[in-house]
């Protein structure tokens, strides 16, 4: 904690007089004035004592030169909406003198709850204290925590001076993720079922792909025939299994959703996209998140170099701050799907019109498999009115058009269970379209 000059410390001390301190000071001044007017020496002594107490507190607090350091640790750094996270605070006294009474207050957004406050009586030289508090939010997002404020107070509560640290942290509240059952999906690899092809096929010794030896390589991989031929150590390159690809398309158009807050259709769609992405990553898919704005997470080539945990973290961070867009179409997502949509496509869609339905139908031929969670947004509570002409008949028509184009369509209504819908996606692709329509 940085030290200030005496003049500024005294000014801060007078500004930090509490209600009790100001009352004592006012009472002392009043008693001194009355003693002077009435010529009462006893009253004068009482007045001087009353006024001296807060003034002494100001001097003591203003000249306090504690050197303390603080630290903050979040557990976990990514909290799921509706679940609690714990914030651990540590205060170290790095000076050679013990501290007096310390009041700690951490600054948190109101959506996480009230500001936590702690009282530390005394911290010995080179000692430390640890405290913790819990935060919880039903709304996903990124919330700043801190900076930590330290209040120095005298034992009588006459004066308090606030000094703030500069460090702060960010708590990321991610959407709820539901565990999905294992089902067999169409088009898990280039439309050819669930097989994972390999990039390198070792048909014989002449087909071995080699590279020069690097420090740390396993000597069992040395290819001696090629080593003798080239005059330097050559090793066999390891087989690299090629992962099945998947794209999760999230429709964030404001005109495609209804409702507000955690009960809106958009929040359901965000939670669905997060759950599907996490499930596909667990199954070994090279997965990316794509929105109607053209945002792709991870970016080009990012999925090839990143582990499943890294990709999951990037996707959850992006979904934590996802918001409704003002776009009217899904056109900005079509180009990424055309250039890299040869794997499985899972789309979470809001309200569609004829044009959007037709364009999605044409994209089906470029994917190995396509599953659409089509939200019947008219069943979600909210005040936002739907566009003229939309309703139950139009929703059933969209379901029929997408199925005729080859999509596996799962109609979604408010209150539906996502694990049940995911399980239904397996049976929907083997059911005749006319029979599916009746259930839509």
């Amino acid at each position: 904690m940085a030290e200030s000059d005496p003049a500024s410390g005294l000014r801060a001390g007078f500004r930090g007089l509490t209600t009790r301190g100001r009352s004592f000071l006012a009472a002392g001044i009043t008693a001194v004035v009355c003693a002077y007017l009435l010529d009462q020496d006893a009253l004068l002594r009482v007045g001087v004592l009353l006024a001296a107490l807060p003034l002494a507190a100001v001097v003591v607090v203003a000249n306090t030169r504690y050197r303390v350091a603080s630290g903050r640790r979040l557990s976990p750094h990514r909290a799921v909406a509706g679940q609690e996270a714990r914030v651990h605070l540590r205060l170290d006294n790095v000076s050679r003198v013990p501290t007096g009474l310390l009041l700690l207050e951490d600054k948190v957004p109101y959506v996480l709850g009230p500001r936590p406050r702690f009282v530390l009586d005394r911290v010995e030289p080179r000692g430390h204290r640890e405290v913790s508090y819990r935060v919880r939010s039903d709304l996903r997002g990124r919330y700043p925590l801190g900076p930590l404020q330290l209040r120095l107070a005298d034992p009588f509560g006459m004066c308090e001076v606030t000094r703030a640290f500069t460090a702060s942290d960010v708590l990321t509240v991610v959407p709820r993720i539901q565990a999905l059952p294992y089902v067999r999906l169409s088009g898990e690899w280039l439309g050819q079922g669930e097989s994972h092809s390999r990039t390198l096929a070792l048909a014989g010794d002449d087909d071995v792909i080699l590279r020069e030896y690097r420090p740390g390589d396993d000597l069992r991989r040395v290819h001696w025939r090629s080593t003798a031929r080239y005059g330097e150590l050559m090793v066999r390159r390891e087989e690299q299994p090629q992962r099945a690809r998947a794209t999760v398309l999230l429709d964030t158009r404001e005109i495609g959703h209804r409702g507000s807050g955690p009960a809106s259709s958009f929040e359901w769609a965000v939670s669905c996209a997060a759950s599907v992405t996490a499930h596909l990553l667990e199954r070994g898919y090279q997965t990316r998140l794509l929105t109607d704005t053209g945002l792709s997470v991870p970016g080009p080539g990012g999925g090839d170099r990143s582990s499943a945990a890294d990709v999951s973290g990037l996707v959850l961070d992006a979904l934590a701050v996802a918001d409704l867009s003002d776009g009217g179409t899904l056109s900005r997502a079509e180009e990424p799907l055309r250039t890299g949509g040869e794997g499985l496509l899972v789309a979470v869609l809001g309200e569609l019109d004829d044009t959007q339905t037709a364009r999605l139908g044409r994209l089906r031929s470029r994917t190995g498999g396509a599953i659409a969670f089509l939200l019947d947004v008219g069943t979600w509570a909210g005040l936002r009115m739907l566009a003229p002409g939309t309703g139950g008949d139009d929703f059933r028509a969209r379901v029929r058009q997408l199925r005729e184009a080859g999509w596996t369509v799962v109609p979604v209504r408010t209150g539906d269970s996502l694990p049940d819908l995911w399980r239904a996606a397996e049976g929907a692709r083997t059911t005749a379209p006319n029979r599916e329509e009746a259930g839509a």
Side-chain angles (χ1 to χ4, degrees):
M1 179 180 299
E3 299 181 2
S4 58
D5 61 272
S8 62
L10 286 176
R11 286 194 297 268
F14 279 108
R15 288 195 299 267
L17 280 173
T18 63
T19 302
R20 178 184 300 176
R22 295 177 187 274
S23 300
F24 267 69
L25 183 61
I29 294 175
T30 302
V32 169
V33 172
C34 291
Y36 177 78
L37 295 176
L38 301 176
D39 194 21
Q40 295 289 327
D41 294 339
L43 184 60
L44 177 63
R45 288 192 291 269
V46 172
V48 171
L49 177 62
L50 290 176
L53 282 176
L55 293 177
V58 168
V59 173
V60 171
V61 173
N63 288 276
T64 299
R65 290 295 181 266
Y66 302 140
R67 295 186 60 83
V68 294
S70 69
R72 184 186 294 102
R73 178 170 55 88
L74 309 181
S75 179
H77 280 276
R78 293 188 184 95
V80 178
Q83 295 184 0
E84 289 184 343
R86 185 170 289 275
V87 182
H88 302 270
L89 299 175
R90 177 184 171 114
L91 191 73
D92 290 270
N93 181 12
V94 298
S95 64
R96 298 180 179 179
V97 295
T99 69
L101 184 67
L102 300 178
L103 305 177
L104 299 182
E105 179 179 329
D106 207 12
K107 185 177 180 181
V108 300
Y110 72 94
V111 296
L112 298 182
R115 288 190 176 184
R117 295 180 174 89
F118 305 94
V119 178
L120 302 182
D121 188 18
R122 179 181 181 275
V123 182
E124 63 277 6
R126 309 298 182 182
H128 71 275
R129 295 289 185 273
E130 293 185 3
V131 293
S132 64
Y133 63 92
R134 291 176 292 183
V135 292
R136 179 180 180 273
S137 174
D138 292 326
L139 300 175
R140 57 188 174 78
R142 290 172 59 85
Y143 300 103
L145 299 178
L148 180 66
Q149 293 181 340
L150 178 64
R151 293 184 181 180
L152 305 177
D154 68 284
F156 301 104
M158 299 284 184
C159 180
E160 291 182 359
V161 175
T162 301
R163 298 175 183 175
F165 295 89
T166 57
S168 61
D169 292 278
V170 175
L171 174 66
T172 302
V173 179
V174 301
R176 293 182 177 90
I177 298 179
Q178 302 183 53
L180 303 182
Y182 178 88
V183 297
R184 296 177 62 87
L185 302 174
S186 62
E188 289 196 307
W189 175 251
L190 299 175
Q192 303 298 323
E194 296 183 347
S195 62
H196 288 182
S197 61
R198 295 180 180 271
T199 56
L200 303 178
L202 301 184
D205 194 54
D206 293 336
D207 296 319
V208 174
I209 299 180
L210 305 170
R211 62 170 173 81
E212 66 277 2
Y213 174 84
R214 298 171 186 168
D217 284 340
D218 190 347
L219 291 178
R220 290 175 295 181
R221 290 170 47 208
V222 174
H223 194 258
W224 298 108
R225 180 180 298 180
S226 298
T227 297
R229 180 186 304 172
Y230 295 107
E232 61 177 332
L233 283 176
M234 304 294 293
V235 296
R236 294 186 297 270
R237 185 179 300 175
E238 291 180 332
E239 279 188 276
Q240 299 293 332
Q242 193 168 12
R243 299 169 61 189
R245 296 177 180 270
T247 299
V248 179
L249 174 62
L250 174 62
D251 181 5
T252 66
R253 296 171 301 125
E254 184 176 9
I255 62 174
H257 292 279
R258 189 178 182 183
S260 60
S264 66
S265 64
F266 179 65
E267 291 301 321
W268 192 97
V270 172
S271 178
C272 176
S275 302
V276 171
T277 301
H279 178 72
L280 294 177
L281 286 170
E282 289 178 0
R283 291 182 57 174
Y285 282 80
Q286 183 178 309
T287 310
R288 64 171 174 170
L289 173 72
L290 183 65
T291 69
D292 59 286
T293 63
L295 172 67
S296 180
V297 181
D304 298 329
R305 300 186 300 269
S306 304
S307 65
D310 293 335
V311 174
S312 178
L314 291 174
V315 170
L316 289 178
D317 287 344
L319 289 176
V321 295
D323 201 358
L324 292 167
S325 67
D326 56 2
T329 68
L330 301 171
S331 58
R332 282 184 284 184
E334 293 178 5
E335 184 60 28
L337 289 175
R338 289 194 186 97
T339 58
E342 70 277 6
L344 174 67
L345 172 61
V346 181
V348 187
L349 305 170
E351 182 71 20
L352 300 175
D353 56 22
D354 290 334
T355 302
Q356 299 305 317
T357 305
R359 299 182 74 160
L360 285 171
R362 289 192 293 270
L363 286 174
R364 169 63 184 89
S365 60
R366 297 180 177 271
T367 63
I371 302 174
F373 289 91
L374 186 59
L375 277 62
D376 186 359
V377 296
T379 63
W380 260 267
L383 300 177
R384 183 182 295 119
M385 299 301 296
L386 296 178
T390 60
D393 293 339
D394 286 340
F395 179 77
R396 286 188 287 271
R398 305 289 181 258
V399 173
R400 182 178 62 254
Q401 292 170 0
L402 288 176
R403 285 173 175 165
E404 290 175 350
W407 283 77
T408 298
V409 183
V410 181
V412 182
R413 297 175 178 85
T414 181
D416 286 347
S417 168
L418 179 57
D420 292 341
L421 295 173
W422 184 253
R423 191 177 291 108
E426 179 182 23
R429 64 188 177 93
T430 60
T431 307
N434 291 335
R435 292 174 58 188
E436 287 182 76
E437 283 181 39

